[in-house]
Structures are given as C-alpha cells and as structure tokens.
Amino acid sequence: MIRFENVTAFYENDKPVLNGVSFTEEKGETIGLIGANGAGKTTLMRTLLGLLPHEGLITVDDIPVSEKTLPEIRRKLGFVLQNSDNQMFMPTVYEDMIFGPLNYGLDREEVDARVDDVLTQLNLTELKHCYNHKLSGGEKRMAAIATILVMKPEIILMDEPTSALDPKNRRLVINTINEMPETKLISSHDLDMIWDTCDRVILLNRGTIVADGSAKDILQNKELLEDNRMELPLRFSNP
Amino acid sequence: MLAAGDSPVHKLHPSAKLVVTIAYIIITVSFSKYQLNGLLMMIIYPAFLFSSSGVTVGTCFRKLRFILPLVLAVGLFNPLFDRAAMIKIGNITVSGGTISMVTLMLKGVFCLAASFLLMATTSIDNLCAALRQFHLPPMMVSLLLLTYRYIGVMTEELSVMTDAYSLRAPGQKGIKFNAWGSFLGQLILRTMDRADELYNSMQLRGFSGSFTYADCKRFDRRDALWIVLWILLFLICRFLDIPGILGSLLLGGFS
Ligand SMILES: Nc1ncnc2c1ncn2[C@@H]1O[C@H](COP(=O)(O)OP(=O)(O)OP(=O)(O)O)[C@@H](O)[C@H]1O
Ligand SMILES: [Mg+2]
C-alpha cells in the first residue's frame, strides 16, 4: 500500500515540482499516472523511492519514507526507469539481471532459475548473453523490465514502459502487466495502454493532482484531458 | 568488447594475468637507464601476447593514442643534459642521453602495452574478482569498478555528442574552437547526470557498496605455470646479458 499525504517535492531548492499531492493506492491496485510533459510523473516516482527530498508524509505499507527506512522501502519497490540507458550498468543482460537478486542475498541457483523464468515470460531468451550496449532501444527497454521483474518486488513502478516498443512488444508488456498480481503504478503518455491495464487513473498537471478516479471517467472525458494539455486515447478519438 | 574474446590467453585465470603483468612492469622499470640491450629483450612478452590473443598491435596503438605521446615525451630532454659519448657506431657517436631517452621511452611503451593487453584479455569484473581474492579492501575494488564504468559512460556520451554535432555541422572537421567551452561543459554535466542516475539505479537494486562478483574460474596448474615461466623469463632477461652472450657465442663460433 502506498500513501501520499500532502507531499511537496523539490529539485535543489527551486520551486516545488510536486505540490500538495495526496492519494492512497491499495495493495493489488494498478494505477495509471498521466499528465503532459513536465507534469511531474517521473518526479512523483522518484520521490516515492527517496531519490528526492520531500515535505509531507509518504508511506509504503505504513512505513514512512525517510533516510533510515530507505533500504527496507526500496526492497519492496521495483522501478523501471524512463530511460533504459540509465538503468543497465553491467556488461550483459544476464549480469544485469542477477545484480539485484544477488545483492539481496539469494543463492545463485535460485537466481538463475528466476532469470530463465523472466526471460521466457518476456520472450527474451535469445538476449540473455547479449551486450547491453549493443541492444536496440526496444530490446534495451524489455531487458530493463526484466532486470526489475527478476527481483520480484511487491510494488512495481514503471515510467513509460511502452515507449520505444514495437506493437508486438507493447502488447507483450501490456499482457505481462495484466498478469502480475502486484501493486502497480504506471506512468505513460500511451493512454490506450493505460486503458488496457489500469482501473484507476491519476491525472497530474504542473505538480498537482487534478483528477483521481476510474479509468472510464477520466480517459473518456475529452474536456478534462484537453484542459490539462492532453488528448483522448486513440480508441475514443476517431469514432 | 575486446575482453570477451576466446583465446587461450583470455581463458587464463585473471589473477595469473594480473600477477604476470605486475611482475613485468616492475622488472621492466627496474632496468638501469643505459641497459638498452637487456630491455629490448622484454619485448618478448607483449609480442607473445599479441600473437596468441588475437588482439592486434593496431588496436593497441589506436586505443592508446592519447597517452602514448605523453609517455614518449618523458625522456625527450635527456639528450640535452647527458652528452657524454657512450658508444660509437661507425663514426656516429651516440650520447648517454640518447640511450637513456630511448630506454625511458621503451619502458613506457612496454608497460602501457602490457597493461593494455591485460585489459584487453580480461573483463573488468573478472579483474576485480581477482583483486578481491588478493584481499584488497572491497571498498577499493568497488571504487575501481565505478571509476571504470564512469569512464565508459563518459566516452559513450562523448560519441553521442560528437555525432550530434557533426550531423548539424556537415563538412566541418572536428569541433569549432568557440564551441569547445559549451561542448565540454555539456559533456561533464551529462556524464555527471548519467553517472548519478546509474548509481541511483544500482542503489535501488540493493547495491550497498560492494559488488557480488561473477563466479571466478578455478586457479589451476596452467595458471601457475604461466606465472612461473614468465617471471623466470623476465628475470633472465633482467640479470643475464642475453644479447651479449649470444654475441660472444656467435663470435666464439667464428674465431
Ligand atoms: N533534475 C532536475 N532538476 C531540476 N528540475 C527538474 C529535474 N528533472 C525534472 N525537473 C523539472 O520537474 C518538472 C517535472 O518533471 P518530470 O520529469 O517529473 O515530468 P514528467 O511528468 O515525468 O514528464 P515527461 O512526460 O516528459 O517524462 C519539469 O518541469 C522539469 O523541468
Ligand atoms: Mg517522465
């Protein structure tokens, strides 16, 4: 369970990028986080992970996010970064995938089994021993998702998971998201994907929540979306 | 990635390669400044590695082209200070300074080549695993690894930026002088940002200051043999005057 209570966050003492954000995500829920470029979606996730100082209260399973609780909090969270280049740092896909689980003290056999499971699930077995710097943009994104899934986090944060993916891989990611029972927070401009994966949507604009409700109510509300510098999902825009 | 090759040299235990490389560097540096004859024999090690690892001399020089001039510049002034005649070849006198200059340059080039060959045949992770086996503090090893990755990130950013620059400045060679300031500034900022993000990403996956290393292969007899034979050979080159012995043998044969 994630709770934000009147959270304000800053980048280096500038003006706040998140402004009085409050919401609660129950266990097992999937929330879509939408908003125009610069609305604060990435910032919200970074704040939750303790990568950015904040004011107000953020809790994960009732543990408040603070310097002291970070290891415990981060253990629960898996974060797929918007830019996969910044996510992968080991030479090969395999080495990158085992990095997290080994750090958490799992033994090698268990880790190897998990790696193979996730690679099969994501249709990536061929890339197992590839060099990260030689992957295509979309392959890199899929591999980045794999490095997070292999850690089996309780809560999954995904920042733009489908950008750079071809239609087939996009569909695969959507299906994968739908199969995962974990609590999920997904930010995206791909509103059709949000429609396919999320029951609940939070709409951000300039660092504040302007709407929080069911996907049906928000994603079909042309006026609301356009007021916040956005457009209807494709499936509703051309009748 | 050169280090991912598959030659017999690549397959040696990283510690064996590390020990031999260090021994090579120490012994090479220990030659006295006029001992050019003996020093020349030391070429045998890099020469052997180049021929058996599949790494080409060309790659080595291309990768080292920025440091090589610095190494060569070190001895440049010796001929000015040390003008005493050392040897005469025909009617050309070679001064002690010239000899010591050549010796210094060779030492530099040999040591660089040996280090390069180590890096080219051993992945950084294996190397660090070997360092850990020598009981170096984990903190130091992690620092080394992070530095190495940082340099990697920097070169990646550099190539992206030069590509972006040249695409918008067709027909221009290099980067215009007045753009250097902003170019360098951008490079540093970007590298720092990316290094930051990467470090965050490591922390988010449980990194707490020490790497869990990939399994290292076992140290076996071949590795031990590799160490003993090479060090023996280096010592022979260092303390026996092989060219001299060969010369007198030959001369002896003729007389
Ligand atoms: N490192 C930073 N330093 C200062 N300001 C930043 C930094 N990163 C982002 N910002 C600012 O914070 C605001 C929100 O950025 P954020 O990255 O959260 O947006 P976003 O909703 O994820 O946008 P996008 O859809 O483009 O990814 C932006 O106005 C941006 O200028
Ligand atoms: Mg973003």
Side-chain angles (χ1 to χ4, degrees):
Chain A
M1 190 186 80
I2 301 173
R3 207 163 88 221
F4 273 60
E5 258 178 52
N6 201 12
V7 173
T8 303
F10 313 82
Y11 281 107
E12 286 136 25
N13 60 42
D14 280 342
K15 60 177 184 2
V17 213
L18 283 188
N19 216 336
V21 168
S22 303
F23 70 92
T24 306
E25 174 168 16
E26 298 299 336
K27 193 173 160 63
E29 220 177 350
T30 303
I31 295 187
L33 198 57
I34 64 173
N37 287 134
K41 305 180 293 294
T42 304
T43 307
L44 190 148
M45 293 188 174
R46 292 173 60 92
T47 314
L48 172 59
L49 290 156
L51 292 173
L52 211 67
H54 68 271
E55 281 167 13
L57 182 68
I58 306 177
T59 62
V60 176
D61 292 342
D62 295 321
I63 308 164
V65 174
S66 73
E67 197 67 44
K68 233 176 47 215
T69 56
L70 274 189
E72 199 180 344
I73 300 260
R74 288 176 175 175
R75 180 82 178 81
K76 293 172 181 288
L77 301 169
F79 182 33
V80 178
L81 272 68
Q82 184 163 8
N83 181 349
S84 316
D85 274 328
N86 292 345
Q87 171 134 22
M88 322 265 286
F89 43 81
M90 298 299 269
T92 65
V93 173
Y94 170 71
E95 284 167 285
D96 225 300
M97 286 180 75
I98 63 175
F99 179 85
L102 286 186
N103 275 331
Y104 288 128
L106 289 169
D107 69 66
R108 196 55 177 252
E109 265 163 45
E110 152 111 40
V111 175
D112 278 337
R114 273 197 196 183
V115 166
D116 289 335
D117 282 351
V118 172
L119 287 176
T120 317
Q121 184 187 3
L122 294 178
N123 227 337
L124 287 180
T125 28
E126 279 152 52
L127 296 187
K128 183 170 177 182
H129 293 291
C130 282
Y131 285 104
N132 285 331
H133 65 279
K134 287 190 183 162
L135 299 178
S136 81
E139 289 169 338
K140 224 178 262 179
R141 167 55 49 89
M142 295 298 286
I145 295 176
T147 62
I148 298 306
L149 292 190
V150 78
M151 301 204 305
K152 298 207 171 150
E154 291 167 40
I155 300 171
I156 298 178
L157 312 176
M158 293 183 156
D159 199 356
E160 300 278 358
T162 53
S163 67
L165 294 186
D166 64 28
K168 204 155 175 210
N169 273 335
R170 173 177 172 275
R171 181 48 55 191
L172 184 64
V173 167
I174 292 176
N175 292 345
T176 312
I177 293 174
N178 284 333
E179 281 162 20
M180 294 187 298
E182 290 86 355
T183 313
K184 283 156 283 180
L185 186 59
I186 302 169
S187 111
S188 188
H189 296 291
D190 179 353
L191 298 189
D192 289 275
M193 183 269 287
I194 297 286
W195 176 266
D196 286 336
T197 52
C198 306
D199 312 316
R200 184 174 153 202
V201 169
I202 290 179
L203 171 56
L204 277 177
N205 194 10
R206 300 186 210 279
T208 45
I209 293 184
V210 278
D212 177 351
S214 75
K216 250 201 289 193
D217 291 342
I218 293 180
L219 295 180
Q220 289 178 311
N221 188 337
K222 187 161 185 243
E223 218 168 296
L224 175 69
L225 291 175
E226 280 174 1
D227 280 350
N228 292 289
R229 305 181 279 156
M230 299 177 64
E231 287 178 2
L232 278 177
L234 283 178
R235 55 156 57 82
F236 302 127
S237 57
N238 27 347
Chain B
M1 276 262 190
L2 283 169
D6 197 30
S7 75
V9 181
H10 283 88
K11 286 193 196 124
L12 284 164
H13 193 278
S15 313
K17 287 185 271 187
L18 185 65
V19 168
V20 171
T21 308
I22 291 174
Y24 180 80
I25 290 175
I26 292 176
I27 295 177
T28 302
V29 169
S30 79
F31 275 89
S32 81
K33 61 180 177 177
Y34 300 129
Q35 224 179 340
L36 187 54
N37 273 349
L39 184 61
L40 277 172
M41 292 299 296
M42 294 298 277
I43 201 171
I44 189 168
Y45 174 68
F48 179 84
L49 281 196
F50 275 123
S51 67
S52 59
S53 68
V55 179
T56 64
V57 181
T59 336
C60 174
F61 280 93
R62 204 149 16 85
K63 298 247 172 183
L64 296 180
R65 66 185 180 279
F66 294 116
I67 358 181
L68 216 50
L70 292 179
V71 170
L72 291 179
V74 169
L76 223 50
F77 294 106
N78 282 22
L80 297 181
F81 298 124
D82 184 355
R83 289 161 184 270
M86 277 292 278
I87 37 173
K88 271 197 164 131
I89 304 169
N91 41 16
I92 307 167
T93 7
V94 182
S95 71
T98 310
I99 303 247
S100 64
M101 174 184 77
V102 175
T103 317
L104 257 177
M105 288 177 173
L106 274 184
K107 281 183 184 179
V109 172
F110 283 1
C111 291
L112 267 182
S115 325
F116 170 79
L117 280 161
L118 175 68
M119 299 303 279
T121 57
T122 319
S123 78
I124 184 77
D125 300 271
N126 283 332
L127 210 56
C128 286
L131 290 174
R132 286 303 311 282
Q133 285 179 345
F134 290 146
H135 299 287
L136 239 74
M139 187 61 213
M140 263 177 74
V141 181
S142 296
L143 207 63
L144 182 72
L145 242 167
L146 286 175
T147 315
Y148 183 83
R149 296 219 195 291
Y150 184 79
I151 293 173
V153 168
M154 177 109 118
T155 48
E156 231 173 78
E157 285 300 328
L158 183 66
S159 82
V160 169
M161 281 177 63
T162 40
D163 284 353
Y165 182 96
S166 58
L167 284 176
R168 283 190 287 159
Q172 185 181 321
K173 238 183 153 191
I175 289 159
K176 261 216 200 110
F177 191 67
N178 58 10
W180 276 27
S182 55
F183 195 86
L184 255 178
Q186 267 294 314
L187 177 65
I188 291 171
L189 279 179
R190 283 198 196 203
T191 310
M192 280 175 20
D193 267 1
R194 272 202 61 196
D196 223 36
E197 281 285 295
L198 279 172
Y199 189 66
N200 281 339
S201 158
M202 293 168 75
Q203 280 191 315
L204 292 179
R205 284 197 267 157
F207 179 71
S208 53
S210 66
F211 284 88
T212 329
Y213 295 95
D215 293 332
C216 218
K217 96 178 235 313
R218 263 242 178 67
F219 190 92
D220 61 26
R221 224 171 4 177
R222 260 194 329 176
D223 302 310
L225 209 63
W226 177 263
I227 295 182
V228 172
L229 284 183
W230 276 117
I231 293 187
L232 207 66
L233 207 63
F234 297 159
L235 290 175
I236 292 176
C237 292
R238 173 72 181 79
F239 293 108
L240 296 181
D241 178 16
I242 311 262
I245 295 172
L246 281 180
S248 59
L249 273 181
L250 276 178
L251 287 181
F254 281 125
S255 62

